[in-house]
């Protein structure tokens, strides 16, 4: 049973983690430090050391994660510029990793499957259609490759992917339900790790069966179960393996995405929530339809141009279109 007092204490701990200015300043300082490294490699066209670009994409992501948390949790504003700049960074991290599959065949990736799928559904909620299409094409092409890191235990991540597939009428590996079981078989066939994949999706199974119900009372009850599931795990902040982290612990984006697709489908959604989780500043963020693109990060622009110039097989070269604008 959910302990509301414990949940409130966890949220206080979660927020205070970002109120600490030194924590946020550290992320910004690291970003400043990586500027010269990136500029040097790009301007000298140093392909032999360009793995440093890939490493520093993680630093760029951390900088905008801190910006987002500062905007929403510390300054208590509705600004989401940091959030909008986080996800393009994951997009480039994921796609450029493929360039190094031969040179660093045993390397680990600096992002997670959860972040890739989170990026996909945020592009969808932002209404950034061409970036959503390209990222989905990339996921579909490489879903069982090592650098997609799909050996992921997060049930809500697989829920989000399957909800996305059903909403967009798409499939992965020929399926739009129980996709994680098909991915598991693919990973097994390639002798890749698959031991972390869930055996089932728990509460999310029933939501996937009923996400398009026209009955408001039905979807309200299911969302209530999702809130309880997320809240119970978030109350174990720092301990639980799902929703126990400081990035997504109190950001109910799986519920916001369900509400988004129902609104876009002309289906009724609950108008008010009384619980803690759905009344955090992150849960109350409002996205425009579509959300205007943010001003591009100059380092991302340089890195993308470098890869397009030096690697003919770079995944984005086949599209030849300007992104994030």
């Amino acid at each position: 049973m959910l302990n509301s007092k414990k949940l409130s204490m966890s949220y206080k701990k979660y927020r205070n983690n970002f109120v600490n200015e030194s924590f946020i300043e550290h992320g910004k300082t690291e970003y400043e430090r990586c500027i010269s490294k990136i500029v040097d490699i790009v301007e000298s066209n140093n392909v032999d050391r360009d793995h440093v670009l890939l490493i520093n994409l993680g630093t760029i992501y951390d900088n905008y994660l801190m910006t987002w948390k500062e905007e929403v949790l510390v300054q208590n504003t509705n600004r989401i510029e940091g959030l909008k700049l986080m996800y393009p960074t994951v997009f480039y991290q994921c796609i450029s990793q493929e360039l190094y599959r031969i040179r660093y065949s045993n390397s680990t990736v600096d992002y997670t499957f959860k972040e890739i799928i989170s990026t996909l559904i945020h592009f969808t909620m932002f209404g950034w259609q061409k970036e959503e299409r390209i990222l989905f094409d990339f996921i579909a092409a490489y879903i069982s490759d090592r650098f997609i890191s799909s050996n992921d235990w997060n049930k809500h991540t697989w829920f989000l992917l399957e909800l996305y597939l059903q909403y967009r009428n798409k499939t992965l590996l020929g399926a739009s339900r129980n996709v994680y079981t098909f991915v598991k078989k693919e990973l097994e066939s390639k002798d890749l790790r698959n031991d972390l994949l869930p055996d089932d999706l728990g509460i999310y199974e029933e939501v996937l069966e009923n996400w398009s119900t026209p009955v408001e009372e039905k979807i309200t009850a299911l969302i209530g179960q999702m809130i309880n599931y997320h809240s119970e795990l978030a109350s174990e902040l720092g301990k639980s393996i799902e929703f126990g982290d400081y990035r997504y612990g109190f950001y109910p984006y799986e519920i916001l995405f369900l509400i988004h697709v129902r609104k876009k489908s002309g289906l009724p959604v609950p108008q008010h929530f009384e619980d803690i989780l759905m009344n955090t500043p992150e849960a109350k963020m409002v996205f425009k339809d579509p959300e205007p693109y943010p001003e591009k990060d100059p380092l991302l622009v340089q890195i993308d141009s470098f890869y397009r110039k030096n690697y003919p097989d770079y995944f984005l070269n086949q599209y030849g279109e300007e992104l994030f604008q």
Side-chain angles (χ1 to χ4, degrees), residues 119-157:
T119 300
L120 179 68
I121 67 101
H122 277 86
F123 285 175
T124 307
M125 289 195 287
F126 292 161
W128 298 354
Q129 294 182 4
K130 58 179 182 290
E131 291 81 8
E132 174 199 332
R133 172 174 52 85
I134 293 171
L135 182 57
F136 178 77
D137 287 349
F138 186 81
I139 294 169
Y142 296 105
I143 183 64
S144 59
D145 273 75
R146 181 179 56 79
F147 51 85
I148 289 286
S149 64
S150 56
N151 182 32
D152 192 288
W153 60 82
N154 287 286
K155 293 184 178 183
H156 78 276
T157 298

Side-chain angles (χ1 to χ4, degrees), residues 300-319:
L300 285 184
V301 173
Q302 290 191 54
I303 291 172
D304 182 45
S305 298
F306 179 93
Y307 286 138
R308 287 179 186 265
K309 172 183 174 183
N310 289 291
Y311 292 95
D313 293 334
Y314 181 45
F315 191 79
L316 295 182
N317 279 340
Q318 65 183 289
Y319 293 93

